[in-house]
Amino acid sequence: VAETVKPKTTAPSADHANKSNETTRQPKKKPTSTSGGGDSARNASYDYLIKLLLVGDSGVGKSCFLLRFTDDSFTRSFITTIGIDFKIKTVQLAGKRIKLQIWDTAGQERFRTITTSYFRSAMGIFILYDVTHEDSFLNVQKRWLANMEGHVMENCVKMIVGCKIDAPERVVETERGRALADELRLPFLECSPKNGLHVSEAALTLTKHVLYKQDPMTFKSFFKELHLGDYGYDKVDDREAAAHSNRSNSCSLSTSCFSLLVYLLPALA
């Protein structure tokens, strides 16, 4: 009679059991939260959201400026912007994460209504012209700045930017662009979206101006190189300082009243 032999089962070793117990005892890792500015922005990936707008005649280089700044790339093909387009880029300034939402508008007259509607929400506006095209420079004041009247926010910052300085056939000299900007008390720079010269500098300059206008008490000490007093921002700074002083005085008065009440309570009892 053949005997049925049952297979032997070996008990797990002590080392194996200890490893299993260690695995089950490991606590689950908590997901890391991204720091933000304040409790409401605790899970946000930025401290400030800045909305910028690009305007100017058709073909001055608005789309190429945007592409160079956000993607660090350039295309020679000219594709007319239909209506409006936008890109997003996050930068680090003064220890804060700044999310830039940059809108590229069409320069043709038939899109004027669409472009004007975006003026109202813009915190900063680039007014671009082509240094090889005289009319685009003349339209900075005659057309674009004139169209903004009554359509932009009170603290909206405007900046004049000359494009295509890499081109040999320049007709608008740097001095003319700077003179216009000085007359209007606006920041000014020239750049080349083709080779990237001064593009980031121009974008960050406007961003710094906007941050200062939005929160002067926070950013005043960080952007001294911009000489912000030359642009009439001292009035904004004075208003903010006065508001801060009023809040401090109100707080001090409340504290004094509370102290007096605590002092008189035992006598009243």
Side-chain angles (χ1 to χ4, degrees), residues 176-201:
R176 292 181 62 193
R178 183 173 291 113
L180 176 62
D182 290 344
E183 177 187 347
L184 300 171
R185 302 185 77 178
L186 301 178
F188 167 78
L189 265 178
E190 289 184 331
C191 69
S192 170
K194 182 178 180 180
N195 57 34
L197 185 63
H198 300 321
V199 170
S200 291
E201 184 181 353

Side-chain angles (χ1 to χ4, degrees), residues 109-244:
E109 184 66 25
R110 67 178 184 271
F111 296 116
R112 180 177 175 180
T113 303
I114 298 175
T115 301
T116 302
S117 66
Y118 280 86
F119 287 160
R120 299 180 181 89
S121 61
M123 301 175 182
I125 300 178
F126 297 98
I127 310 170
L128 274 63
Y129 68 91
D130 181 353
V131 299
T132 68
H133 196 271
E134 177 77 14
D135 287 344
S136 70
F137 175 71
L138 297 177
N139 284 336
V140 167
Q141 188 170 14
K142 183 172 63 176
R143 178 183 177 186
W144 295 107
L145 284 171
N147 288 348
M148 293 177 198
E149 292 294 330
H151 295 288
V152 297
M153 295 188 294
E154 181 183 0
N155 59 349
C156 177
V157 182
K158 297 175 281 291
M159 179 177 182
I160 299 176
V161 179
C163 283
K164 303 184 183 181
I165 59 175
D166 57 278
E169 59 275 14
R170 173 194 281 264
V171 296
V172 182
E173 297 300 325
T174 303
E175 291 73 18
R176 292 181 62 193
R178 183 173 291 113
L180 176 62
D182 290 344
E183 177 187 347
L184 300 171
R185 302 185 77 178
L186 301 178
F188 167 78
L189 265 178
E190 289 184 331
C191 69
S192 170
K194 182 178 180 180
N195 57 34
L197 185 63
H198 300 321
V199 170
S200 291
E201 184 181 353
L204 295 180
T205 296
L206 181 59
T207 301
K208 291 176 181 179
H209 279 256
V210 171
L211 286 171
Y212 180 80
K213 289 290 287 287
Q214 297 291 326
D215 194 352
M217 298 301 292
T218 299
F219 294 102
K220 181 179 181 180
S221 60
F222 290 100
F223 305 145
K224 292 181 179 179
E225 78 280 3
L226 296 178
H227 304 289
L228 297 169
D230 297 341
Y231 304 98
Y233 298 162
D234 50 344
K235 296 180 180 179
V236 178
D237 193 19
D238 291 342
R239 288 200 300 268
E240 183 66 20
H244 179 73

Side-chain angles (χ1 to χ4, degrees), residues 59-74:
V60 298
K62 299 185 296 296
S63 298
C64 291
F65 179 95
L66 179 60
L67 194 63
R68 173 62 72 181
F69 176 62
T70 56
D71 300 339
D72 195 22
S73 62
F74 176 79

Side-chain angles (χ1 to χ4, degrees), residues 72-112:
D72 195 22
S73 62
F74 176 79
T75 177
R76 293 180 178 273
S77 60
F78 176 72
I79 302 176
T80 303
T81 301
I82 305 300
I84 198 160
D85 190 14
F86 82 97
K87 284 184 175 291
I88 292 175
K89 181 169 182 174
T90 302
V91 298
Q92 193 89 12
L93 287 174
K96 304 292 185 182
R97 286 177 59 83
I98 316 299
K99 184 176 181 179
L100 302 177
Q101 192 180 90
I102 311 174
W103 295 84
D104 177 22
T105 63
Q108 294 94 331
E109 184 66 25
R110 67 178 184 271
F111 296 116
R112 180 177 175 180

Side-chain angles (χ1 to χ4, degrees), residues 13-23 25:
S13 63
D15 293 340
H16 179 76
N18 290 336
K19 288 181 181 179
S20 299
N21 291 335
E22 289 176 1
T23 303
R25 288 175 191 150

